[in-house]
Amino acid sequence: MSKTEDLLTLLDKAGLDEQGLPPVEQWKPERHADIDMRIARDGTWYYEGSAIERERMVALFSTILLLEGDDYFLITPVEKLRIQVDDAPFVAGEVQRVDGKLVFTTNVGSHVVASAEHPIRVVTDPETGEPSPYITVRKNLEALIGRSAFYQLIDWGREEGGRLVVESGGERFELGALEE
């Protein structure tokens, strides 16, 4: 398979990753509880203080994740368990340009294409000036864009009215102001 075919396959996979996810927003379980589970800023999942080493288990848990207000839950038809998330539940560690689209790969192996439905946003810490870039993965769940992927976006960006922007599939996303 050629490099171009590999990239087009990646783009197809991104379109399929959201299909087949459980309908978590439709579930209304009666049992609610808190659980000692935490997702660290680097995307590591912890249960009772120990890192969950099984990637397939983390990937499975990520499919039943729900955000309501400021609270994150693992939800099934029979129970809803509140968990802690330090920043965003996912980390987008890689980005590639495929057919004019930005395709991100997350720490749980899912793929997402930056678009109107999956926008990129950058929050700047007012005290430190440090940017925290995010992409919406699904519904209202976001991935923190990792440093190397963000630097790649900056490299691909172009100046537009004093701002740095990138495009994906015809949509423009602002990365921040250019320094003078």
Side-chain angles (χ1 to χ4, degrees):
M1 199 179 279
S2 72
K3 175 91 169 153
T4 301
E5 289 172 323
D6 288 344
L7 292 175
L8 293 175
T9 300
L10 180 64
L11 191 57
D12 289 340
K13 180 158 176 31
L16 294 174
D17 277 352
E18 282 190 83
Q19 296 177 8
L21 288 173
V24 295
E25 291 84 11
Q26 297 174 15
W27 294 338
K28 306 295 181 212
E30 290 184 25
R31 184 177 183 281
H32 293 226
D34 290 347
I35 187 172
D36 186 8
M37 187 174 283
R38 178 177 73 89
I39 305 172
R41 190 170 200 267
D42 69 359
T44 304
W45 289 56
Y46 292 89
Y47 177 68
E48 295 184 345
S50 297
I52 300 174
E53 301 291 334
R54 295 178 61 192
E55 291 177 16
R56 291 179 70 175
M57 184 170 288
V58 169
L60 175 64
F61 286 151
S62 76
T63 66
I64 58 168
L65 195 58
L66 176 71
L67 173 61
E68 288 182 343
D70 293 330
D71 294 321
Y72 289 88
F73 300 91
L74 294 180
I75 186 168
T76 70
V78 296
E79 64 186 344
K80 183 176 181 180
L81 305 171
R82 184 188 336 264
I83 67 169
Q84 298 301 311
V85 177
D86 291 353
D87 189 347
F90 305 105
V91 175
E94 296 178 21
V95 61
Q96 296 181 44
R97 272 199 296 200
V98 182
D99 265 1
K101 298 175 182 168
L102 300 173
V103 182
F104 292 84
T105 304
T106 71
N107 59 310
V108 295
S110 63
H111 300 86
V112 61
V113 176
S115 64
E117 187 178 340
H118 301 282
I120 296 171
R121 70 181 182 97
V122 179
V123 177
T124 304
D125 185 299
E127 292 179 17
T128 65
E130 184 76 23
S132 292
Y134 301 90
I135 183 167
T136 301
V137 175
R138 62 178 180 262
K139 309 283 188 273
N140 57 353
L141 298 175
E142 292 184 313
L144 176 66
I145 298 173
R147 187 176 304 259
S148 64
F150 188 54
Y151 287 154
Q152 184 63 66
L153 292 177
I154 290 169
D155 187 50
W156 290 332
R158 71 173 195 285
E159 187 271 333
E160 196 174 275
R163 311 296 289 174
L164 187 64
V165 298
V166 292
E167 284 194 22
S168 179
E171 295 289 327
R172 291 195 334 259
F173 303 99
E174 189 175 299
L175 301 179
L178 294 172
E179 294 184 14
E180 300 192 22

